[in-house]
Amino acid sequence: MITILNDNFSQLNDFLHEKTFSKIFILVDENTHEYCLPVLLGNMETDLGFEILEIEAGEEMKNIQTANQLWEILTEMQADRKALVINLGGGVITDMGGFVASTYKRGIKFINIPTTLLSMCDASIGGKTGIDLMHYKNMVGTFAFPEQIFIYPKFLQTLPFKELRSGFAEMLKHGLIADKAHWNQLIQIHKLDVDAVTPYIQNSMDIKQDVVEKDFHESNIRKTLNFGHTIGHAVESLCLQQENPILHGEAVAMGMICEAHLAYLENLISEEDSKVVIENIQRYYPYLDISDFKNEEITALLLNDKKNVDSKINFSLLTGIGECNYDYQCSQKNIIKSLSFYRKLNDA
């Protein structure tokens, strides 16, 4: 269940009063500790004891070493199976916190309070938790629903512009795969800021929630949410490998451009539709320089994607604006062509 919080967090307080938790553990990074935790603590009303667990910010912290440290801290603080973990942060915090909670003592309760646009519209919703393995994105994880998700849109005011833009990529994706009207509304935004995107957050969350409810374990239609992520994750992983991480939304935007062109090459969408998608994404996102990455490096990572079966790369590709299919296997030639197409965009 997703709840939009009012300014006194009464819905969160009602939730805490109605449940019987033994203790609360609030997971933050240094950014949400500074900007968001004071707001939460200033409004949270509970007689339960609580502890603050802080990790460093950044995708590079989403690994087994950090998870192990958190498990050890929970153990040292004698967290029992009735403890509650509150994940207060962006996608790394909700992914990591959900994973740690869903595996500690075979699973304790957790809620998500996302603080970034990316986590509000995407990462905190759907019950996917996970950590990265080496430089492979989200390779280890669980399917585990949070008890509840609480959204406080004013947290977005604490975000740097790049983080806001990163989350906007997932909103665009939701429109492209499932709701043409949503896409058309979003591309009318000329200046990307909190006030401009806030009216569309609820619809974007609803699209994600609707898809997840139809296919929780990603057996079919949920795979469409991976549009832009097959190539995007590969590039994101290579950047992590080079210790030059990029934001998830930047990688997804690049991936959506490549995969929109790939859909055209595979005769799934018209050239006109592919151009509409690509040109509008380019309006919001800077070009990512992938000239240092060889095609062989990218395709090697594509072959390790979680959606693959029998060593065949499964893409989720548009069949129109607002429509998407899944488990689509493209020719190797067209995959390389789509990467070459993206590299040439910098010359245009």
Side-chain angles (χ1 to χ4, degrees), residues 45-334:
E45 298 174 0
T46 179
D47 294 328
L48 294 172
F50 63 86
E51 299 284 351
I52 309 301
L53 311 179
E54 181 179 341
I55 64 173
E56 293 180 35
E59 180 74 26
E60 57 270 30
M61 299 306 298
K62 204 172 83 174
N63 55 46
I64 193 65
Q65 288 80 19
T66 307
N68 192 61
Q69 289 171 2
L70 292 170
W71 286 321
E72 289 180 357
I73 292 169
L74 289 171
T75 303
E76 289 167 3
M77 292 182 171
Q78 298 181 328
D80 60 29
R81 297 182 79 175
K82 288 192 173 182
L84 173 71
V85 174
I86 298 179
N87 298 315
L88 180 69
V92 170
I93 289 292
T94 57
D95 281 357
M96 168 76 71
F99 175 70
V100 167
S102 66
T103 49
Y104 177 76
K105 295 192 173 178
R106 296 197 176 93
I108 62 176
K109 307 292 187 185
F110 67 98
I111 62 173
N112 291 332
I113 306 180
T115 60
T116 67
L117 188 61
L118 179 70
S119 56
M120 286 181 189
C121 292
D122 188 64
S124 71
I125 303 170
K128 276 187 179 180
T129 79
I131 56 174
D132 302 336
L133 181 64
M134 296 181 288
H135 51 270
Y136 295 106
K137 285 274 296 178
N138 300 325
M139 192 60 73
V140 179
T142 62
F143 285 99
F145 271 128
E147 292 297 292
Q148 201 148 341
I149 301 166
F150 293 98
I151 306 290
Y152 189 58
K154 289 185 180 179
F155 279 146
L156 296 178
Q157 295 168 359
T158 68
L159 286 184
F161 172 73
K162 285 180 67 175
E163 290 284 355
L164 189 76
R165 184 177 62 191
S166 177
F168 190 63
E170 294 288 357
M171 296 178 73
L172 291 171
K173 180 202 74 179
H174 290 155
L176 284 171
I177 67 167
D179 190 334
K180 186 175 182 178
H182 186 56
W183 159 263
N184 286 333
Q185 289 171 331
L186 294 176
I187 62 173
Q188 297 306 311
I189 295 174
H190 297 292
K191 182 184 178 184
L192 198 56
D193 58 26
V194 173
D195 290 338
V197 302
T198 296
Y200 305 108
I201 291 173
Q202 182 72 59
N203 193 35
S204 199
M205 292 190 300
D206 289 344
I207 292 169
K208 170 84 181 266
Q209 186 78 353
D210 180 61
V211 172
V212 169
E213 286 175 356
K214 291 175 180 174
D215 176 27
F216 178 46
H217 287 289
E218 203 172 22
S219 302
N220 43 75
I221 194 172
R222 185 169 182 171
K223 295 178 184 180
T224 62
L225 292 167
N226 290 306
F227 169 63
H229 286 60
T230 305
I231 290 175
H233 269 171
V235 170
E236 193 175 0
S237 294
L238 285 169
C239 291
L240 275 174
Q241 192 174 342
Q242 291 190 351
E243 297 183 355
N244 183 31
I246 58 175
L247 293 178
H248 177 69
E250 294 173 345
V252 169
M254 178 266 176
M256 289 193 293
I257 289 173
C258 290
E259 292 177 25
H261 187 68
L262 185 55
Y264 160 64
L265 294 175
E266 293 283 336
N267 297 312
L268 296 174
I269 60 172
S270 67
E271 184 175 16
E272 180 182 356
D273 278 352
S274 71
K275 282 184 177 179
V276 167
V277 172
I278 291 164
E279 288 173 3
N280 276 290
I281 293 173
Q282 283 183 292
R283 285 173 47 215
Y284 299 107
Y285 295 91
Y287 175 81
L288 281 182
D289 186 1
I290 60 169
S291 57
D292 288 343
F293 301 148
K294 297 177 182 177
N295 290 334
E296 295 78 13
E297 292 178 298
I298 296 174
T299 53
L301 283 166
L302 296 181
L303 285 166
N304 230 326
D305 190 275
K306 298 183 294 299
K307 301 180 298 299
N308 296 344
V309 178
D310 294 333
S311 298
K312 295 176 182 175
I313 302 169
N314 284 332
F315 282 90
S316 296
L317 295 179
L318 300 180
T319 52
I321 295 178
E323 302 171 1
C324 188
N325 71 3
Y326 54 88
D327 289 347
Y328 191 89
Q329 293 165 6
C330 302
S331 72
Q332 184 81 0
K333 178 181 71 175
N334 282 342

